[in-house]
Amino acid sequence: MKVLVINAGSSSLKYQLMDPDTEEVFAKGLCERIGIDGRLTHKVPATDGKYEFEIAMPTHAEAIQAVLDALTSPEHGVIKSMDEIDAVGHRVVHGGEKFACSVKIDQAVMDALEECIPLAPLHNPANITGIRACQNVMPNVPMVGVFDTAFHQTMPAKSYIYALPYEYYENDKVRRYGFHGTSHKYVAGRAAAMLGCPIEELKIITCHLGNGSSVSAVDSGKSVDTSMGFTPLAGVPMGTRSGDLDAGILEYLMNKYGYDMKKMMNVLNKESGVLGISGVSSDFRDIETAAEQGNQRAALALEAFQYSVKKLVGAYAAAMGGVDAIVFTAGVGENDGNTRMAIASGLEFMGVKMDAQANNVRGKEAVISAADSKVKVLLIPTNEELMIARDTAEIVGK
Ligand code: AMP
């Protein structure tokens, strides 16, 4: 089966054509600068081919058409015609409380996605546009929506409720939703496979640490708590996002500097996190380099990030009454041994013992705790596209 996975952002669109059973990726790529001019990077793993094109993309429709043209091109294509695409799986950021699992997209689902726009005004419109663009050029191909929030819908009320007047939950759906669900679910499943233990018997803490970061408590395969909240701004400090803070700071800064809410949110989303603390960069590699050269704010940014993740590991172990495995994934989690070590060291009191040599690894599945560590620490590269393709194949196959 060939599944096209689409991840549409506001001005970009990532794609992968893959077989979810064999996990073979036939082609993948990225459309950028949609609505500005348009650039397509198309890769064919089997031949190591990389092709770049300037193609006018006034809207997502032209971007999707460019992707289909690339996939079927006689020179660098991987299929003869669009008919070989059996299904399309779309990443959707916010499914609200409506979607606790992936669903086949029909008009009712599209209506529900529209209803979720106020919950994710930056992301969901792009996802919806991507779906519509695909429907227009592939009207007969079944499509599935896979939600970043779905995996966390198993959280109990005590985890997702905010201590606000209850009406804001009842009337306005203000609650913790959590994000990166597809990634947390994937790595938790892989952790169980690596440990050779049914996921139903495991308590796992998954640390998705990238430009955006979140930590989840996964008990018996179900998300029971997660650090992102009503929006992906909450939790640990991120590349440019503040993570959790005292809401009183907003009033203080807005009054002092005459900021309106838009400006304030821009500070929290775009100017904060490790960029804000370090003043150097949002990229962890740049910050580490600066810290090594003696930049104290860069060092502080790393420390604050690591400390924040470490605290959540402790909190989620307490929440679950123990932990069997801690998983690191995403850009920082997969590549940055120093950060993994800083987070997982000092936790010997709760049975975590790292192996420095085993931790000296990047981007591949590995056990990085010592052989006698009661809690296993794992590095697992995430694969959200595979998860989306699998869900799509399963739902379309039903
Ligand atoms: P992601 O959002 O998952 O793509 O992760 C992006 C983040 O991963 C960026 O901040 C990168 O700096 C970080 N990253 C990638 N490789 C490394 C590395 N070798 N060491 C530290 N951070 C890295």
Side-chain angles (χ1 to χ4, degrees):
M1 184 171 199
K2 291 191 174 86
V3 176
L4 179 61
V5 176
I6 297 286
N7 180 354
S10 55
S11 69
S12 70
L13 184 149
K14 287 189 216 150
Y15 64 95
Q16 272 196 23
L17 183 69
M18 68 155 73
D19 182 330
D21 297 321
T22 64
E23 301 186 13
E24 181 178 0
V25 176
F26 304 107
K28 61 181 176 180
L30 170 67
C31 299
E32 292 169 285
R33 299 174 62 85
I34 301 170
I36 306 167
D37 37 31
R39 185 183 304 146
L40 169 67
T41 309
H42 176 72
K43 293 183 186 169
V44 180
T47 59
D48 266 340
K50 183 177 173 187
Y51 310 89
E52 288 174 303
F53 309 95
E54 308 279 329
I55 301 170
M57 297 175 188
T59 70
H60 285 70
E62 289 82 12
I64 292 284
Q65 191 58 55
V67 170
L68 293 174
D69 290 345
L71 291 172
T72 55
S73 147
E75 289 88 40
H76 46 263
V78 291
I79 50 176
K80 288 206 176 65
S81 86
M82 261 164 51
D83 298 341
E84 288 182 49
I85 299 173
D86 297 299
V88 182
H90 292 272
R91 177 192 181 212
V92 182
V93 168
H94 216 309
E97 286 190 315
K98 285 221 163 73
F99 300 107
C101 58
S102 305
V103 286
K104 191 162 174 188
I105 297 172
D106 57 16
Q107 193 48 49
V109 169
M110 291 303 282
D111 293 344
L113 291 185
E114 297 268 356
E115 273 175 44
C116 289
I117 288 178
L119 298 176
L122 297 179
H123 294 102
N124 271 31
N127 301 150
I128 292 169
T129 308
I131 295 170
R132 289 225 179 88
C134 282
Q135 286 173 329
N136 284 340
V137 285
M138 294 177 271
N140 299 318
V141 179
M143 311 222 174
V144 169
V146 180
F147 304 90
D148 270 22
T149 48
F151 180 56
H152 300 301
Q153 279 295 306
T154 48
M155 283 190 292
K158 66 181 177 186
S159 301
Y160 70 67
I161 199 74
Y162 286 117
L164 291 168
Y166 197 70
E167 298 76 53
Y168 293 128
Y169 168 59
E170 279 187 313
N171 301 335
D172 307 301
K173 306 266 180 262
V174 174
R175 53 159 285 177
R176 181 187 305 281
Y177 289 100
F179 299 87
H180 292 143
T182 310
S183 175
H184 288 293
K185 184 178 177 186
Y186 174 77
V187 298
R190 284 302 308 152
M194 283 173 75
L195 298 175
C197 185
I199 198 162
E200 293 73 21
E201 294 172 16
L202 290 171
K203 298 179 193 299
I204 306 173
I205 297 173
T206 49
C207 306
H208 178 112
L209 310 179
N211 193 32
S213 294
S214 64
V215 182
S216 287
V218 183
D219 196 347
S220 312
K222 292 192 166 69
S223 172
V224 293
D225 208 343
T226 192
S227 60
M228 281 181 167
F230 179 65
T231 72
L233 177 57
V236 300
M238 305 178 216
T240 62
R241 282 172 256 172
S242 64
D244 292 341
L245 46 72
D246 178 348
I249 295 169
L250 275 67
E251 186 194 27
Y252 177 74
L253 290 179
M254 289 170 79
N255 283 342
K256 182 155 189 195
Y257 294 109
Y259 293 163
D260 61 8
M261 190 46 94
K262 193 160 176 247
K263 165 68 185 169
M264 192 66 243
M265 292 312 290
N266 201 53
V267 170
L268 299 182
N269 274 304
K270 303 265 171 66
E271 300 173 18
S272 299
V274 290
L275 167 69
I277 300 175
S278 70
V280 170
S281 169
S282 63
D283 190 302
F284 278 74
R285 284 164 292 200
D286 299 339
I287 301 171
E288 283 191 1
T289 307
E292 278 160 21
Q293 291 165 350
N295 184 318
Q296 305 227 328
R297 274 175 57 186
L300 177 62
L302 293 173
E303 268 186 305
F305 171 75
Q306 294 156 357
Y307 176 64
S308 171
V309 176
K310 186 195 286 271
K311 276 201 295 186
L312 278 174
V313 170
Y316 288 166
M320 292 191 287
V323 55
D324 300 299
I326 300 168
V327 181
F328 289 101
T329 193
V332 178
E334 292 168 25
N335 293 299
D336 186 351
N338 293 337
T339 289
R340 289 193 300 263
M341 188 56 104
I343 293 166
S345 59
L347 299 179
E348 290 78 8
F349 75 92
M350 53 183 264
V352 181
K353 191 168 158 197
M354 287 290 277
D355 178 332
Q357 208 173 343
N359 185 43
N360 189 13
V361 62
R362 284 181 55 179
K364 61 174 190 194
E365 288 188 354
V367 179
I368 56 174
S369 48
D372 61 344
S373 181
K374 199 170 131 290
V375 178
K376 301 295 169 209
V377 186
L378 308 171
L379 189 173
I380 302 178
T382 195
N383 195 339
E384 290 161 285
E385 291 79 12
L386 176 59
M387 203 74 208
I388 293 171
R390 277 188 190 152
D391 270 17
T392 302
E394 195 190 317
I395 286 169
V396 166
K398 271 180 193 162

